[in-house]
Amino acid sequence: VTAGEFDRIDRLARHLAGRSPDVPVGVGDDAAVVRVGGADVVLCVDAVVEGVHFTRALSDPADVGWKVVAVNVSDAAAMGARPRAAVIALHRPADLGEDDVDALYEGMAEAAARWGVQLVGGDTVRAGEWAVGLTLVAELDGPPVTRGGARPGDVVVLAGALGASAAALVAHAAGVPPDPAHLAAHRRPTALPATGLALAAVGATAMIDVSDGLGSDARHLAAAGGVVLDLDPAAVAAAVAPGVPRALGEGWLDLARGGGEDFALLATLPADGVAAAIAAVGDAGEVALHAIGRVAAAADGRRAGEVWLGTDRRIDHLGYDHG
Amino acid sequence: VTAGEFDRIDRLARHLAGRSPDVPVGVGDDAAVVRVGGADVVLCVDAVVEGVHFTRALSDPADVGWKVVAVNVSDAAAMGARPRAAVIALHRPADLGEDDVDALYEGMAEAAARWGVQLVGGDTVRAGEWAVGLTLVAELDGPPVTRGGARPGDVVVLAGALGASAAALVAHAAGVPPDPAHLAAHRRPTALPATGLALAAVGATAMIDVSDGLGSDARHLAAAGGVVLDLDPAAVAAAVAPGVPRALGEGWLDLARGGGEDFALLATLPADGVAAAIAAVGDAGEVALHAIGRVAAAADGRRAGEVWLGTDRRIDHLGYDHG
């Protein structure tokens, strides 16, 4: 999501539903929540396009299928929702053969089985370029966790590691064989739905998935909550995936923080809930949870929406342009 | 949907969910039905691609936005479901300007307002070609009306007129200015959700929307129900939109029947329910309902899935290839 895209979302907001009894969460979060047949249904949609979001050089068709499921499950996870079912829009170019399409569906089915998603249908359209869109439906055990609920005094927590996918791309671009673990993180990203449910259950006040880079997504949380986030540089560095500093070289921390496609979960919690959250996320069994900062009020010249790394460094824009 | 696509759906069925308590309707109908948070939620997805489903020569961006909403509302209508909310995947090429994107959303918003759909979010991705995918969520008042419930003795009914969109395309291809009403039917098709709800309420046993052409979609109903459909040639001819015979010239009835994009609803009903259905569809206020045939058992050398026009003409394949 680029800055230009946010402008467009603002301009188009008049066409899109804001909050209402029928639409508990409208445009502008990781997913929308709609009241249908008496239930609150979480809806998210993400599309991937060849040459923009993936290349055949790095990802085989099964990887592409896996990824389009994972990115949507990650969005649902960030609402504290349980993924349930998905429909697919496959844009199929002439050079995508039968075996490729089968492999694409195999990869989707693997990811869907892993995260309990039923693939219930879809549309295949002839197209000049290969793209896959997926819409995921998820359900809630309690209220959705939006981006906007962070309160001063909350602790900022991160579940998952940063920089592995970025490191694979940098190595590939440099003609160096990527670290296998980094390549796997790029090809077969791991979404964290059990972690998202656990964080929601222990009272997360706000949550977002780190898809555009920690810096960029932290700024979304800060802006939506009208607060400032103070991140601890050492804690952020400790959340970088193993081997990433070596793979990225100089500036590794900025690259890891900005790289995106981490599918980690960034959340805020009341300070007295952090110990319970660490235990609950541990029980969920996906990744460990790390406290990486604090939520502060906008004051002393620091404005709502700002993210600070230590006391002297404000993060302006560190995000990978997926648009 | 092409014959090749149906083969693929069969091959891929092992990856997709069939019926289960969690998935009351799986792949192979106009929409899927999924149990989410205790509610039965209807899900449909349709994508349109420039050069395949629309051209800028005939449709402006607002028309494209209208159409992608209409095709999905039509799918929901064919389940007897009430459209509620949608998410959008916009594949945006570099030559689709800001004003075009605004107009696209304007057209979507107009159609959404007309049919009570909340546009709750979406994803914009950079792409080489212009495409728009839309996923619609709808709710049910009663059991969904599937394609498979037609029973011998039922009456076949059609709501809506045939051939207008096809006539506009034929005229355009011939360099003749299309009839304005036909062009409007192509650019701004009318979905029939109130009609679909009315037909469901009066006990329709099966329903499908006529998107691929009456002949093709009637065969889907016949195949899914394991029955034969006997259509009355005069009644089918009477369901053709005004001006279509003149616009299509010789062979107008075959062209009208095969043209597709009619977004009419084809349903089956117990014979003693037809009068109530005609009244209920009249009250819905969208279009009139016409009885156009009967459902028969496969017998006397006629096989399940066949559609007959009168006693001597079997419809083999008359459908427009959207794939």
Side-chain angles (χ1 to χ4, degrees), chain A residues 8-183:
Chain A
R8 180 180 348 287
I9 288 171
D10 288 344
R11 288 170 62 196
L12 295 172
R14 65 202 163 95
H15 298 307
L16 298 173
R19 269 175 203 239
S20 73
D22 279 351
V23 185
V25 180
V27 70
D29 218 297
D30 292 280
V33 182
V34 185
R35 185 157 279 263
V36 182
D40 280 345
V41 174
V42 176
L43 278 181
C44 35
V45 58
D46 261 306
V48 295
V49 179
E50 184 178 9
V52 179
H53 304 88
F54 65 89
T55 67
R56 297 191 209 196
L58 273 175
S59 299
D60 68 30
D63 295 333
V64 174
W66 174 284
K67 194 165 187 169
V68 73
V69 173
V71 298
N72 280 284
V73 170
S74 186
D75 281 331
M79 306 301 288
R82 178 178 290 106
R84 294 282 287 108
V87 291
I88 302 145
L90 169 58
H91 301 233
R92 185 185 178 187
D95 71 341
L96 192 71
E98 292 296 309
D99 290 348
D100 292 336
V101 174
D102 281 353
L104 175 76
Y105 271 76
E106 292 275 4
M108 277 193 220
E110 275 183 71
R114 165 139 177 199
W115 292 306
V117 176
Q118 306 258 20
L119 300 176
V120 296
D123 187 28
T124 299
V125 292
R126 209 167 52 214
E129 75 189 344
W130 182 14
V132 191
L134 189 139
T135 302
L136 181 73
V137 171
E139 67 189 4
L140 292 163
D141 293 336
V145 184
T146 67
R147 295 181 176 181
R151 292 168 302 194
D154 283 354
V155 170
V156 181
V157 295
L158 180 73
L162 303 175
S165 176
L169 292 176
V170 166
H172 178 74
V176 176
D179 177 305
H182 299 169
L183 192 58

Side-chain angles (χ1 to χ4, degrees), chain B residues 38-237:
Chain B
D40 279 346
V41 174
V42 176
L43 278 181
C44 34
V45 59
D46 261 307
V48 295
V49 178
E50 184 177 9
V52 179
H53 304 86
F54 66 89
T55 66
R56 297 191 209 195
L58 273 176
S59 299
D60 68 29
D63 296 333
V64 174
W66 174 285
K67 194 165 187 168
V68 72
V69 173
V71 298
N72 281 283
V73 169
S74 186
D75 281 331
M79 306 301 288
R82 178 178 289 107
R84 294 282 288 108
V87 291
I88 302 144
L90 169 58
H91 300 231
R92 185 184 178 189
D95 70 341
L96 192 71
E98 293 295 310
D99 290 348
D100 292 335
V101 174
D102 281 353
L104 175 76
Y105 271 77
E106 292 275 5
M108 277 194 221
E110 273 183 72
R114 165 139 176 200
W115 292 308
V117 176
Q118 306 258 20
L119 299 176
V120 297
D123 187 27
T124 300
V125 292
R126 208 166 52 212
E129 76 189 343
W130 182 14
V132 191
L134 189 139
T135 302
L136 181 73
V137 171
E139 67 190 2
L140 293 163
D141 293 336
V145 184
T146 67
R147 295 181 177 181
R151 293 169 302 195
D154 283 355
V155 171
V156 180
V157 295
L158 180 73
L162 303 175
S165 176
L169 292 176
V170 166
H172 178 74
V176 177
D179 178 305
H182 299 168
L183 192 57
H186 174 75
R187 288 178 169 162
R188 300 265 174 153
T190 301
L192 305 173
T195 301
L197 282 165
L199 287 167
V202 298
T205 50
M207 188 150 51
I208 190 170
D209 82 315
V210 180
S211 53
D212 296 327
L214 176 66
S216 180
D217 290 316
R219 291 171 71 234
H220 295 160
L221 269 199
V227 294
V228 172
L229 298 195
D230 282 310
L231 303 186
D232 172 6
V236 171

